[in-house]
Amino acid sequence: MKQRLTVLLTALLITACSTNVETRVSSSGINSPKPDQYMISTFAEASPELRNAYTLVARNMEQNGFALAKAAPLHLEITLDARDAALALGSTDGPDALSPAKRKKPMQSCEDKEYRLGVTLTRVADGAEVYKSRAAEYHCKMPMAEALPVLVGAALADFGKPRGSYVVKRKAKD
């Protein structure tokens, strides 16, 4: 009996870190935007993760037929942040918060962080939003650098065909 309990507890500890990770996505914009040139607002003192996000998003935009330029009719803004998931964002609690607080799972060994990536493409001439997307995930052990390619892929998956808000689940290190 004691051996079974030890095996069960060990299995629970192992599965506590490898689980379904939910990527929460929200996208809006116009359908099938015409490929064009765009510029990105960058900062010299940007973190390594944000510089990596610039590169990953630019690659994805290129695959969609868009070209990076110093001066262009489109402006691309990329935001990236990490926060303690136990802190809610917004003026209300619960599901109406911008980002509600997340509680620790039973037997979870560390505090969750929420990683959030934002991508906004606007027309310079009139400020019209061509595409806007946010992708967010909670992680206990995964560093942002590992989560970033998934966040970029999720944020740009709807480019040209925005679907609103939804959740994508995948198996990964929590």
Side-chain angles (χ1 to χ4, degrees):
M1 179 70 173
K2 188 175 181 180
Q3 185 177 15
R4 284 185 184 171
L5 183 59
T6 302
V7 170
L8 178 62
L9 287 175
T10 302
L12 285 172
L13 286 173
I14 290 171
T15 59
C17 292
S18 179
T19 184
N20 279 330
V21 173
E22 292 184 347
T23 307
R24 299 172 318 282
V25 181
S26 175
S27 64
S28 62
I30 63 174
N31 287 321
S32 305
K34 180 182 164 216
D36 207 339
Q37 291 184 329
Y38 69 95
M39 55 187 159
I40 298 179
S41 295
T42 60
F43 300 95
E45 61 278 347
S47 69
E49 290 88 359
L50 183 55
R51 286 194 306 268
N52 190 23
Y54 293 153
T55 301
L56 293 170
V57 170
R59 261 191 230 140
N60 191 295
M61 294 294 290
E62 186 178 304
Q63 291 171 354
N64 283 304
F66 289 76
L68 183 60
K70 288 192 184 256
L74 299 174
H75 178 261
L76 183 67
E77 180 181 32
I78 301 167
T79 59
L80 183 65
D81 64 87
R83 69 167 176 90
D84 290 335
L87 301 172
L89 294 179
S91 60
T92 61
D93 289 332
D96 293 331
L98 174 62
S99 187
K102 180 183 180 288
R103 296 178 188 213
K104 279 176 76 170
K105 296 178 197 169
M107 301 184 67
Q108 186 172 334
S109 63
C110 58
E111 296 293 328
D112 279 314
K113 295 269 189 208
E114 181 185 41
Y115 302 145
R116 295 172 56 90
L117 173 77
V119 176
T120 306
L121 184 66
T122 56
R123 278 196 309 257
V124 174
D126 60 5
E129 193 174 272
V130 176
Y131 182 72
K132 182 176 183 175
S133 183
R134 302 289 177 259
E137 291 183 345
Y138 294 117
H139 290 285
C140 176
K141 297 194 183 291
M142 182 182 286
M144 184 183 281
E146 283 183 42
L148 190 56
V150 172
L151 289 173
V152 169
L156 295 172
D158 295 350
F159 189 80
K161 51 186 177 330
R163 297 188 311 167
S165 296
Y166 59 95
V167 174
V168 177
K169 292 183 181 183
R170 65 185 170 88
K171 287 281 189 195
K173 177 171 56 173
D174 189 20

